[in-house]
Amino acid sequence: MTQHNSKHPNCSPRHYHHGDLRQKLIDGACTHLRSGSAHDLSLRSLARELGVSQTAPYRHFASKGDLFVAIAVYGFELLSKAVNEAKSNCENDPEKLLIQQGLAYINWAEKNPEKYQLFFDSCLVNSTDNPELQKAGTNSFQLVLDTIGIGIAQGVFLDRPVVELGAVVWSFVHGSASLLISTGDIGRHSDREDAVATGVSSIADNRESNMALFVGAIKKP
């Protein structure tokens, strides 16, 4: 009787199909970026961590820059999913929906800082040279614009260009997310009582009321 060889490469937990390896590289890079520098990351080091040949990652990414673009595209897809899920409880109320979409954006960014930084850091990713990344970012923003457009049509929001009102709302959610990511520990995990710590704590602890206040700025009087 022929015995199965448990050491056959196809039985190894380190053996990946091509599609699996691509996602494993993205996930491994995200893990690294959470605690390490982007400049210290390399495709070869990821290959060693995953137990594959040093040339295997290059079947999916020509360079580390291409890997960062893939992470950013993947991040926008996840962000869009999170924002879109806000519809489940308030699809027929554009004001409430916009508040929930903004909260979903801020909460997702806070939980995924390693992906979020790649959306806007031109030193790591140049979106102008990546149509796929531009499309992913536009699709994510479009979810908010659609809600604002519905609100304008229903007479809830100001009768101004949709993109203009969208930029106002985005400036708040992006600003809040960036502050929570870069300075959140100052307000939530220290004994500081200065204005900076108080401001960060307010953003962290009152995000829904703050979001409602900002959405109120684009409502019709």
Side-chain angles (χ1 to χ4, degrees):
M1 181 181 293
T2 302
Q3 293 184 343
H4 292 290
N5 183 358
S6 62
K7 294 184 178 181
H8 189 281
N10 287 336
C11 298
S12 169
R14 291 290 191 176
H15 178 80
Y16 303 113
H17 296 292
H18 289 308
D20 295 335
L21 179 57
R22 185 181 188 279
Q23 187 60 47
K24 288 292 184 181
L25 290 166
I26 289 174
D27 293 341
C30 287
T31 298
H32 174 90
L33 291 172
R34 278 184 173 270
S35 57
S37 167
H39 300 291
D40 296 335
L41 180 67
S42 71
L43 291 175
R44 290 179 179 273
S45 66
L46 286 174
R48 287 194 297 271
E49 290 176 11
L50 294 173
V52 298
S53 71
Q54 292 191 345
T55 59
Y58 293 94
R59 299 171 189 166
H60 303 281
F61 305 109
S63 67
K64 183 169 69 173
D66 287 343
L67 172 60
F68 287 158
V69 169
I71 293 172
V73 171
Y74 177 55
F76 270 125
E77 291 171 351
L78 294 177
L79 174 59
S80 295
K81 181 180 178 181
V83 171
N84 197 47
E85 286 175 350
K87 287 183 177 181
S88 59
N89 296 321
C90 47
E91 188 169 8
N92 297 321
D93 185 336
E95 180 183 2
K96 184 177 179 181
L97 176 56
L98 190 57
I99 292 170
Q100 293 304 313
Q101 286 177 322
L103 291 175
Y105 181 109
I106 295 169
N107 293 337
W108 183 90
E110 189 179 20
K111 293 176 182 177
N112 297 272
E114 79 288 350
K115 300 179 186 70
Y116 192 73
Q117 69 168 330
L118 294 177
F119 294 172
F120 309 107
D121 191 341
S122 59
C123 294
L124 299 176
V125 174
N126 186 355
S127 61
T128 59
D129 294 332
N130 294 282
E132 183 182 10
L133 180 55
Q134 288 182 351
K135 181 179 179 181
T138 298
N139 289 344
S140 182
F141 189 40
Q142 189 62 47
L143 295 172
V144 173
L145 297 183
D146 289 346
T147 300
I148 294 174
I150 292 171
I152 293 173
Q154 292 182 2
V156 175
F157 299 137
L158 295 171
D159 189 11
R160 302 283 289 274
V162 173
V163 173
E164 179 182 317
L165 298 185
V168 170
V169 173
W170 183 70
S171 68
F172 174 76
V173 295
H174 174 58
S176 295
S178 298
L179 281 170
L180 288 172
I181 290 170
S182 62
T183 65
D185 286 346
I186 292 175
R188 288 169 292 168
H189 303 293
S190 76
D191 295 327
R192 287 178 53 171
E193 297 181 357
D194 57 27
V196 173
T198 301
V200 173
S201 293
S202 177
I203 292 173
D205 298 337
N206 305 298
R207 58 189 73 188
E208 184 164 2
S209 60
N210 289 338
M211 188 70 215
L213 183 65
F214 223 80
V215 170
I218 68 168
K219 284 185 64 177
K220 267 191 172 182

